[in-house]
Amino acid sequence: MKKLYILGGTGTIGHQTIEVIKNHSNHFKVIGLSLGRSKKAQHGEIIQTLKPEIVCLREKDFKLESKFPQIKFVYQDEGLVELVKYPKVGIVVNGISGSAGLIPTIEAIKSGKDIALANKETLVMAGEIVGQLVEKHAVKLYPIDSEHNAILSALRGETLKEVKSITITASGGSLRDLSREELKNVTVEEALNHPNWKMGKKITIDSATMINKGLEVIEAHHLFNLAYENIHTVIHPESIVHGFVTFVDNSVKAVLAKPNMKMPILYALSYPKHLASGIENLDLTNLALTFEPIDYQRYPLLKYSYQAGKKGGLYPVVLNAANEAAVKLFLNKKITFLQIEEIVIEELENFKTNVSKPTLNQIITLDKNIQRKVLKKYEFST
Ligand code: MG
């Protein structure tokens, strides 16, 4: 029985994690759970089903506290830290969206817990620090992101020395059939309509601009300790192949599955075992797979992501923070779709104070400052 802590229980990843666990209640027991502001009406039911020992909420809830007197309730960001420090070993599933996911990951590692990571900002912002902490505290870090999860699976039983490169696939996002010209008038609703994956809003917009793939390249660099030159990306509209590993003998291993996050979530939790995921079977007699190179003119943020990753230090923090704020502005209809790119590129080009080995404090301060600056420029307050 593995003990689990789920962060972001009402988000897309959290919700699917709970579904996965319900089907494998003999393998997993939820000890800790954090629930966000959304779907409040369901909080009681989720808690009733999972019966965790500690629950973190955004706002004080006397009704839930009196309904579940045996559960310890904690609140807000401090509560989240308390939750991941709860004195029982286990795996923390981090399904929090955005830079808010960084500190809980770090505190969970420090308290000796393994991490199943869906929050890509953790590694984009502080990949080196997180990597060092993982080593120091001898914990495991399992990626939930489908591409990295596929690479994890393909690398099982292999040694990194024999790996020449990896390739992660991109669907092309919700706007892949539109030209640059047509992107000018894209609405929030159109951008949120992803053809293959059901995901949260932030990551769906990130897929449309392709910065999602850029963030994943940086994530892969830290997870698999590969140089950026050896991390490739390719458009694969069907989203059936999630990742490829090319070995030094030029043989290639790929992992295929129907696009459904339940599979990578379960594999991150059951690794190295494969358990029945309940996702649809892949009919091999009816497969048409296509791949095309990603055009940097069409998707400039992928190019800038590689550059930011290669420059290292605080550049990935700038990339991520500018994008997070810009996506917030776009979702609130303060800017157009193409302005997301403009904002990210402008912040990267204006950034002149890089340090090669930033501290966690420098990272968090810069993230806050850039987000605040971008939001303020468009007179948006959260
Ligand atoms: Mg992904």
Side-chain angles (χ1 to χ4, degrees):
M1 201 80 154
K2 285 186 180 173
K3 296 186 176 73
L4 300 185
Y5 295 79
I6 302 174
L7 310 186
T10 44
T12 321
I13 292 293
H15 173 73
Q16 296 185 83
T17 304
I18 292 169
E19 292 294 305
V20 164
I21 288 166
K22 277 194 212 158
N23 293 329
H24 292 282
S25 49
N26 50 336
H27 286 99
F28 307 110
K29 167 82 186 102
V30 176
I31 301 292
L33 174 70
S34 93
L35 299 168
R37 280 197 182 83
S38 64
K39 301 180 195 150
K40 267 200 180 155
Q42 294 169 27
H43 286 186
E45 197 191 317
I46 299 172
I47 295 170
Q48 179 69 45
T49 312
L50 299 176
K51 299 187 183 71
E53 296 176 19
I54 178 167
V55 170
C56 180
L57 302 172
R58 295 316 296 174
E59 283 140 26
K60 189 99 179 144
D61 192 324
F62 293 106
K63 251 172 104 182
L64 285 178
E65 284 202 17
S66 63
K67 198 177 168 196
F68 301 101
Q70 72 284 18
I71 293 175
K72 178 173 187 176
F73 282 86
V74 291
Y75 294 95
Q76 300 188 354
D77 293 348
E78 308 84 66
L80 209 50
V81 170
E82 209 180 324
L83 187 147
V84 298
K85 283 183 165 174
Y86 195 71
K88 278 191 182 173
V89 288
I91 306 180
V92 174
V93 180
N94 188 345
I96 294 173
S97 164
S99 55
L102 173 60
I103 295 296
T105 310
I106 286 190
E107 293 298 335
I109 296 171
K110 283 185 181 168
S111 86
K113 295 190 181 65
D114 293 331
I115 310 288
L117 191 64
N119 175 270
K120 47 192 84 169
E121 290 77 3
T122 292
L123 289 176
V124 170
M125 293 169 72
E128 281 179 33
I129 292 174
V130 170
Q132 285 160 5
L133 286 172
V134 163
E135 215 162 288
K136 183 177 167 193
H137 296 275
V139 300
K140 299 272 189 309
L141 181 69
Y142 306 107
I144 284 180
D145 214 337
S146 58
E147 297 79 1
H148 308 77
N149 194 272
I151 303 288
L152 177 77
S153 181
L155 284 177
R156 210 185 137 204
E158 308 287 357
T159 56
L160 270 177
K161 257 196 256 163
E162 288 153 41
V163 172
K164 191 173 172 181
S165 66
I166 62 170
T167 303
I168 56 177
T169 59
S171 68
S174 53
L175 310 170
R176 63 189 178 201
D177 298 324
L178 304 187
S179 66
R180 294 282 307 170
E181 188 57 34
E182 288 167 322
L183 288 179
K184 280 182 185 163
N185 302 313
V186 155
T187 65
V188 171
E189 292 70 24
E190 286 165 331
L192 283 177
N193 190 17
H194 197 284
N196 304 357
W197 294 98
K198 257 194 148 55
M199 303 183 291
K201 285 182 184 178
K202 161 80 170 40
I203 182 171
T204 304
I205 302 302
D206 286 350
S207 297
T209 62
M210 201 57 87
I211 198 170
N212 183 51
K213 216 44 55 182
L215 300 177
E216 288 180 357
V217 165
I218 299 173
E219 208 185 351
H221 165 78
H222 293 295
L223 273 172
F224 305 113
N225 208 6
L226 287 167
Y228 284 97
E229 292 72 20
N230 300 328
I231 303 169
H232 306 304
T233 51
V234 67
I235 294 224
H236 171 44
E238 297 85 14
S239 296
I240 296 292
V241 182
H242 303 291
F244 298 93
V245 175
T246 304
F247 295 94
V248 288
D249 59 2
N250 284 339
S251 65
V252 179
K253 255 195 197 176
V255 172
L256 289 73
K258 286 266 182 182
N260 187 325
M261 285 309 293
K262 283 183 185 165
M263 197 279 285
I265 289 170
L266 180 58
Y267 190 57
L269 297 180
S270 65
Y271 185 88
K273 277 189 197 152
H274 291 278
L275 299 178
S277 70
I279 76 164
E280 221 185 315
N281 188 37
L282 190 61
D283 179 3
L284 297 175
T285 62
N286 193 20
L287 270 188
L289 304 177
T290 52
F291 302 94
E292 337 160 4
I294 306 186
D295 176 1
Y296 283 161
Q297 305 286 331
R298 172 65 177 77
Y299 295 107
L301 288 187
L302 181 60
K303 184 181 75 184
Y304 278 91
S305 300
Y306 269 102
Q307 284 175 1
K310 282 179 191 170
K311 285 180 183 169
L314 288 167
Y315 272 99
V317 180
V318 176
L319 174 90
N320 182 67
N323 178 61
E324 194 164 321
V327 171
K328 210 173 271 175
L329 290 170
F330 175 66
L331 286 172
N332 285 283
K333 305 190 176 177
K334 298 280 180 190
I335 60 168
T336 65
F337 180 75
L338 286 178
Q339 276 179 294
I340 299 174
E341 291 174 358
E342 283 168 28
I343 288 170
V344 174
I345 294 168
E346 191 185 326
E347 290 303 320
L348 284 170
E349 284 177 351
N350 286 343
F351 184 62
K352 301 281 184 257
T353 49
N354 198 28
V355 285
S356 60
K357 299 236 176 282
T359 63
L360 191 57
N361 211 355
Q362 286 174 315
I363 290 170
I364 291 166
T365 307
L366 181 66
D367 173 67
K368 283 207 176 101
N369 287 345
I370 289 189
Q371 293 212 42
R372 204 179 297 135
K373 180 177 129 196
V374 171
L375 295 178
K376 201 176 157 207
K377 193 170 165 191
Y378 295 88
E379 288 163 10
F380 184 78
S381 57
T382 46

